[in-house]
Structure formats: structure tokens, C-alpha cells
């Protein structure tokens, strides 16, 4: 069975977006980029909730024309080539070769996990991650805590239906400033 691996950037005060939806604060230095690319190498599918999907789809298809950041230039072709799945109850279809699921999320995610391939990398967001954690469908959680206090915004995880206990597997500092911790369900 394929694993679902959640990778998320969060502020020190626990937000994935600032008060106005800002996501201009993650610090993608060479070590954090290498960590991220290591997760990509294990994965054969990217999984998004609708909100993160819309952000990703507005940038990565044309990243080279909007950024000269080394991480962006290296990741853009990988993003375009990777199969993508969007979980949404409102989208009918998605561009850039993405498949939409979400009518019966638990069943569709189980089918996705049972299919062929490597890990399913759930990128960012909070709502979909919380929903999958509530159902016991997340196998690993990788959290990059950035040295910024946003003072509000979208929380890393919204209130859950139940408890989801994790066990810290490892933690490391990337680029002298971002602490990345990897957890598994306890």
C-alpha cells in the first residue's frame, strides 16, 4: 500500500498562511530544497486540497517566467511532470493534468493508496490534511517550522474530530534557520 506523506511549511506561531493569505515567508535555502526534493524522489503522485492546488497551479506551470530562485527553477519541471490529484467537493476538473477526487474522499483515497506507484505527497494546506488524519490515512508528517511569527492566518491544522497522536522520528535544522521534523502515527 502506498504511503501518504504530508509536507507542510508553518510559521513559528502555527500558521500555513498569513492573515491575508500570504505565503511569501517560507525560506527555501539549499538544504530545505534538498530535503523537499528527497520527498519528491520517493513520491509518484502529488496530492492537494483545492486552495493549495489553486495557488500551485497559478505558479508552477510558468515558474521560470516569474522567478529566478534556484529552488523554483529546479522544481518547476518536476512539478509539471508529476501526476497530480486534487481533493475537492467543488471542482469539477483541474488543469495541468490533475485528476479531481472528493465525492467520497475516504474511498477515493483508499483506491489511490492501493494503486501502483511510490508515495503520495500531500503538499501544504490544512483542511485536507486534518481530514485525512482524522481518518487515519496519513503515514508521515513532515513539518518545516520557519522563523517567522505571522500573528494570525490559517492554522497548520484546524480543530480535529479526534486525537491523532504522533511520534517524532527525526528533526533537523536546514539552512541554519528552518527546523524540519518528521513524525509517524504513534
Amino acid at each position: 500500500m502506498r504511503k501518504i506523506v504530508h509536507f507542510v511549511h508553518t510559521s513559528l506561531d502555527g500558521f500555513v498562511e498569513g492573515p491575508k493569505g500570504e505565503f511569501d515567508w517560507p525560506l527555501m535555502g539549499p538544504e530545505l530544497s534538498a530535503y523537499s526534493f528527497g520527498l519528491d524522489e520517493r513520491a509518484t503522485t502529488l496530492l492537494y486540497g483545492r486552495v493549495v492546488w489553486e495557488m500551485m497551479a497559478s505558479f508552477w506551470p510558468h515558474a521560470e517566467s516569474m522567478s529566478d530562485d534556484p529552488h523554483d527553477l529546479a522544481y518547476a519541471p518536476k512539478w509539471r511532470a508529476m501526476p497530480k490529484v486534487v481533493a475537492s467537493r467543488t471542482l469539477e476538473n483541474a488543469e495541468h493534468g490533475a485528476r479531481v477526487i472528493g465525492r467520497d474522499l475516504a474511498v477515493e483515497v483508499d483506491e489511490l493508496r492501493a494503486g501502483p506507484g511510490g508515495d503520495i505527497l500531500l503538499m501544504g494546506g490544512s483542511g485536507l490534511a486534518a481530514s485525512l488524519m482524522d481518518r487515519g490515512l496519513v503515514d508521515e508528517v513532515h513539518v518545516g517550522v520557519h522563523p517567522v511569527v505571522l500573528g494570525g492566518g490559517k492554522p497548520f491544522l484546524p480543530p480535529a474530530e479526534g486525537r491523532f497522536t504522533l511520534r517524532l522520528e527525526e528533526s533537523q535544522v536546514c539552512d541554519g534557520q528552518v527546523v524540519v521534523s518528521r513524525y509517524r502515527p504513534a
Side-chain angles (χ1 to χ4, degrees):
M1 177 143 319
R2 300 168 73 187
K3 291 183 194 174
I4 294 182
V5 177
H6 181 216
F7 181 42
V8 65
H9 300 278
T10 184
S11 65
L12 189 59
D13 55 346
F15 297 100
V16 295
E17 292 179 1
K20 297 177 183 169
E22 311 95 305
F23 192 70
D24 57 352
W25 47 269
L27 305 165
M28 291 302 293
E31 292 174 354
L32 186 54
S33 288
Y35 187 95
S36 176
F37 291 148
L39 292 176
D40 289 329
E41 288 171 12
R42 295 173 33 192
T44 56
T45 304
L46 296 173
L47 176 61
Y48 300 102
R50 182 192 54 80
V51 174
V52 174
W53 166 253
E54 288 173 349
M55 180 182 68
M56 300 297 262
S58 72
F59 181 75
W60 291 113
H62 314 288
E64 295 90 343
S65 68
M66 300 187 309
S67 174
D68 60 0
D69 181 90
H71 172 81
D72 295 349
L73 297 176
Y75 185 68
K78 294 178 186 210
W79 184 89
R80 289 190 293 265
M82 183 90 69
K84 294 166 271 302
V85 176
V86 181
S88 174
R89 289 181 296 269
T90 58
L91 281 180
E92 293 295 321
N93 54 51
E95 297 177 333
H96 313 295
R99 178 168 62 111
V100 177
I101 64 171
R103 301 295 179 246
D104 191 350
L105 186 62
V107 170
E108 290 169 303
V109 169
D110 280 341
E111 289 171 357
L112 188 61
R113 292 177 78 204
D119 291 345
I120 300 161
L121 187 55
L122 170 58
M123 297 292 289
S126 59
L128 177 59
S131 178
L132 295 178
M133 284 183 189
D134 278 344
R135 292 175 168 91
L137 297 175
V138 175
D139 301 287
E140 292 180 22
V141 179
H142 297 248
V143 182
V145 180
H146 293 259
V148 61
V149 174
L150 298 175
K154 183 181 282 187
F156 162 45
L157 289 172
E161 291 178 24
R163 182 178 292 186
F164 188 79
T165 305
L166 299 168
R167 181 181 67 241
L168 178 65
E169 294 287 318
E170 69 176 321
S171 190
Q172 68 185 66
V173 177
C174 293
D175 306 305
Q177 55 194 349
V178 179
V179 177
V180 180
S181 298
R182 178 174 60 91
Y183 300 90
R184 291 191 188 270

